């Protein structure tokens, strides 16, 4: 619940009650403005309420409204709008699916590429394609899912994902094609050329840093619900140097983080 002393907004002249209410509604709650001329104080409140009644995807209530001295002081108790419509449900589904895909990525990924002799089998495996494709779709869905929850974090996440996805594409499709045609030291040399070029590595690193920043921004916005997501996002870069078991654990953490963010209220 939010308590507002409209006197703190200053004297806005004639019709100050409606003007103040319109300003608070616009700045703090994103509600439609009400007329500020020729509208009684209680009529202004009723217009705000009726405007909200027609929006099925938003719940908003005005609990109390007390005028002490004709527009000099008003104390209003309101609840912030909570989105419950199709967009909010789509956001939740996108985040849950993204979490599942982030978990499938390390769970399905073949780990034989850690040795030269195992690279060909790992790269040429259909599971290699499936795992990396799952991660790429997860990045996209997570960005869409964050929009109603933390819009600025969603923008940063989207930029980071756009920089990460080309590297994932090369890792998935180029190495898969190479693994089907080469093996041994020759394949290892070609894989290093794909993975460790200056430009792709730079874009990949910057993109992962931006994903970490977006995760922290989400936690700041949501509080404890966003902490697992933030921790997983921050650890996304260093987890590449961990053994397979811990990378799968990281996938579990990211999946849990996505689900918790999906359960957060949309405002």
């Amino acid at each position: 619940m939010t308590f507002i002393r409209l006197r703190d907004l200053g004297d806005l002249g004639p019709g100050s009650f409606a003007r103040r209410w319109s300003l608070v509604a616009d700045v703090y709650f994103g509600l439609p403005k009400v007329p500020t001329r020729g509208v009684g104080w209680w009529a202004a409140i009723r217009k705000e309420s009726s405007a909200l009644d027609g929006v099925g995807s938003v719940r908003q209530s005005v609990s109390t409204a007390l005028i002490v001295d004709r527009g000099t002081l008003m104390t209003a108790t309101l609840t912030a709008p909570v989105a419950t419509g199709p967009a909010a449900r789509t956001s939740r589904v996108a985040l849950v699916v993204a979490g599942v895909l982030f978990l499938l990525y390390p769970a399905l990924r073949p780990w034989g590429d850690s040795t030269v002799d195992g690279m060909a089998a790992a790269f040429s495996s259909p599971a290699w394609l499936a795992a990396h494709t799952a991660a790429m779709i997860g990045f996209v869905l997570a960005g869409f899912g964050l929009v109603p929850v933390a819009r600025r974090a969603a923008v940063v996440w989207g930029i980071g994902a756009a920089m990460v996805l080309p590297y994932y594409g090369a890792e998935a499709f180029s190495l898969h094609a190479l693994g089907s045609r080469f093996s041994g030291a020759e394949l290892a040399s070609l894989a290093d050329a794909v993975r460790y070029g200056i430009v792709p590595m730079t874009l990949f690193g910057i993109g992962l840093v931006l994903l970490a920043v977006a995760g922290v921004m989400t936690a700041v916005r949501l509080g404890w619900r966003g902490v697992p997501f933030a921790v997983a996002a921050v650890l996304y870069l260093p987890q590449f140097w961990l053994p397979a078991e811990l990378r799968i654990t990281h996938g579990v953490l990211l999946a849990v983080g996505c689900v918790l963010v999906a359960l957060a209220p949309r405002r």
Side-chain angles (χ1 to χ4, degrees), residues 69-101:
D69 183 16
R70 286 186 64 84
T72 302
L73 172 65
M74 175 194 171
T75 301
T77 304
L78 308 98
T79 59
V82 179
T84 59
R89 291 191 292 269
T90 301
S91 166
R92 291 187 174 94
V93 171
L95 281 166
V96 171
V97 174
V100 173
L101 293 174

Side-chain angles (χ1 to χ4, degrees), residues 97-109:
V97 174
V100 173
L101 293 174
F102 282 134
L103 175 57
L104 289 177
Y105 164 51
L108 294 178
R109 183 194 189 281

Side-chain angles (χ1 to χ4, degrees), residues 20-33 48:
R20 290 170 181 169
W21 175 261
S22 181
L23 180 59
V24 170
D26 183 59
V27 173
Y28 290 95
F29 301 101
L31 303 179
K33 293 183 178 180
E48 288 289 354

Side-chain angles (χ1 to χ4, degrees), residues 105-106 108-133 170-184 187-188 191 195 244 247:
Y105 164 51
L108 294 178
R109 183 194 189 281
W111 296 101
D113 62 313
S114 58
T115 64
V116 173
D117 293 335
M119 280 186 175
F123 291 160
S124 61
S125 170
W128 181 269
L129 282 178
H132 287 79
T133 301
E171 180 89 355
F173 305 116
S174 297
L175 295 185
H176 180 70
L178 292 173
S180 302
R181 293 166 175 79
F182 302 95
S183 62
L187 175 59
R195 285 173 160 172
R247 291 190 63 179

Side-chain angles (χ1 to χ4, degrees), residues 12-250:
L12 300 180
S16 59
F17 181 104
R19 293 175 186 275
R20 290 170 181 169
W21 175 261
S22 181
L23 180 59
V24 170
D26 183 59
V27 173
Y28 290 95
F29 301 101
L31 303 179
K33 293 183 178 180
V34 297
T36 57
R37 292 185 178 180
V39 179
W41 290 296
W42 294 107
I45 294 179
R46 287 197 298 272
K47 281 183 176 290
E48 288 289 354
S49 179
S50 63
L52 289 166
D53 291 340
V55 183
S57 62
V58 176
R59 293 195 303 269
Q60 177 78 21
S61 64
V62 179
S63 300
T64 62
L66 174 62
I67 298 175
V68 175
D69 183 16
R70 286 186 64 84
T72 302
L73 172 65
M74 175 194 171
T75 301
T77 304
L78 308 98
T79 59
V82 179
T84 59
R89 291 191 292 269
T90 301
S91 166
R92 291 187 174 94
V93 171
L95 281 166
V96 171
V97 174
V100 173
L101 293 174
F102 282 134
L103 175 57
L104 289 177
Y105 164 51
L108 294 178
R109 183 194 189 281
W111 296 101
D113 62 313
S114 58
T115 64
V116 173
D117 293 335
M119 280 186 175
F123 291 160
S124 61
S125 170
W128 181 269
L129 282 178
H132 287 79
T133 301
M136 289 187 281
I137 297 174
F139 285 123
V140 175
L141 290 179
F144 281 116
L146 285 175
V147 172
V149 183
R151 188 175 299 274
R152 292 181 181 177
V155 172
V156 177
W157 180 277
I159 297 172
M163 301 179 75
V164 164
L165 288 177
Y167 191 93
Y168 263 89
E171 180 89 355
F173 305 116
S174 297
L175 295 185
H176 180 70
L178 292 173
S180 302
R181 293 166 175 79
F182 302 95
S183 62
E186 186 177 14
L187 175 59
S189 177
L190 292 171
D192 287 348
V194 171
R195 285 173 160 172
Y196 303 125
I198 295 177
V199 174
M201 282 291 291
T202 301
L203 288 176
F204 188 61
I206 294 174
L208 290 176
V209 170
L210 290 176
L211 295 181
V213 171
V216 173
M217 292 173 67
T218 302
V220 170
R221 177 72 176 84
L222 299 180
W224 68 268
R225 290 181 185 272
V227 171
F229 183 79
V231 172
V234 170
L235 293 178
Y236 209 101
L237 178 57
Q239 60 96 26
F240 283 107
W241 285 271
L242 298 177
E245 295 78 9
L246 291 180
R247 291 190 63 179
I248 294 173
T249 302
H250 175 266

